[in-house]
Amino acid sequence: QACATVPHPDPADPWEGMNRVILSYNDQIDKAVLKPVAKGYQWITPKFVDTGISNFFSNLKDISVSVNGFLQAKPKQGGMDTARFLVNSTVGIGGFIDVATMINLPKHEEDFAQTLAVWGVARGPYVVIPLLGPSSVRGVGGYIGDTALHPLTYTLFFGSTALSTGLSVGLRTVEIIDVRADFLGAEAVASEAAVDRYIFFRSAYMQRRDYLISDGAAQSLDVEGMD
């Protein structure tokens, strides 16, 4: 709360005061609920089961990855990602086994925010979303697009029975916990290394997004206050 007023805001982050408050709120929720649950999940789940669950949800996201590949005028990559989804969904037993990687169909990272960037939509100000974390104005639009492409969204909103709706909510919950458990180690390192966690996560987010949008091409960020 003491950081709510920022005397010299970063041009890329004009809402820093609000963002810091939201980050603090997110940290409190994470510390009280999500992190303990993730630790318990990691403790009781055998490694091979955890890997299979992560593969399952990663496979579902390959639907969105494939669509965004085509939307970004990458037909070859989009075709590979479609083949990857089909292989893992069948031979890989619903995606629990990553057979596609074994046969040289690599995992790509494409999302609708990257598609918007390719289409020329500006990033806009940095923003921390309650419960979801670092993003940008363009990232919010990307999140909405990816949610619309996620198969569990249709099960949740268009499920014909309470069972299908409950299954969708349950799977979404497991997905969130699984992702949080996978980041336990990285989060600990980041918290220990960063003098200012807010600046650290903002810088990491922006650099990661620029890396993905440029397909790994080296870029230098000209953002005041990022150092």
Side-chain angles (χ1 to χ4, degrees), residues 21-199:
V21 173
I22 296 175
L23 176 64
S24 177
Y25 167 78
N26 287 350
D27 284 345
Q28 292 176 32
I29 296 297
D30 181 69
K31 182 178 179 180
V33 181
L34 194 54
K35 189 173 182 178
V37 173
K39 285 184 174 180
Y41 167 85
Q42 192 176 63
W43 183 73
I44 65 173
T45 307
K47 180 62 178 178
F48 75 94
V49 175
D50 182 28
T51 300
I53 291 173
S54 297
N55 287 342
F56 171 78
F57 290 115
S58 177
N59 186 56
L60 292 182
K61 288 183 179 179
D62 276 341
I63 297 174
S64 175
V65 171
S66 302
V67 173
N68 281 295
F70 288 116
L71 292 176
Q72 294 172 35
K74 301 174 182 176
K76 181 179 178 180
Q77 180 178 304
M80 291 175 65
D81 292 329
T82 301
R84 177 184 173 83
F85 172 74
L86 293 175
V87 168
N88 281 343
S89 297
T90 53
V91 183
I93 314 176
F96 284 94
I97 303 173
D98 187 2
V99 177
T101 298
M102 302 176 190
I103 59 173
N104 296 321
L105 286 173
K107 176 75 175 177
H108 295 109
E109 293 187 56
E110 303 291 354
D111 53 45
F112 195 62
Q114 293 176 63
T115 298
L116 292 176
V118 171
W119 291 352
V121 177
R123 177 167 58 193
Y126 175 77
V127 60
V128 180
I129 305 175
L131 302 180
L132 296 178
S135 188
S136 64
V137 172
R138 183 176 63 202
V140 172
Y143 178 78
I144 294 172
D146 289 330
T147 300
L149 290 171
H150 200 294
L152 291 182
T153 300
Y154 296 95
T155 307
L156 175 62
F157 290 103
F158 302 105
S160 58
T161 65
L163 178 61
S164 62
T165 300
L167 179 62
S168 177
V169 172
L171 287 173
R172 275 294 198 181
T173 302
V174 173
E175 181 179 17
I176 292 170
I177 295 171
D178 179 69
V179 170
R180 183 62 184 90
D182 290 342
F183 278 97
L184 283 172
E187 182 258 349
V189 172
S191 296
E192 292 176 4
V195 175
D196 185 330
R197 291 181 73 255
Y198 177 83
I199 299 297

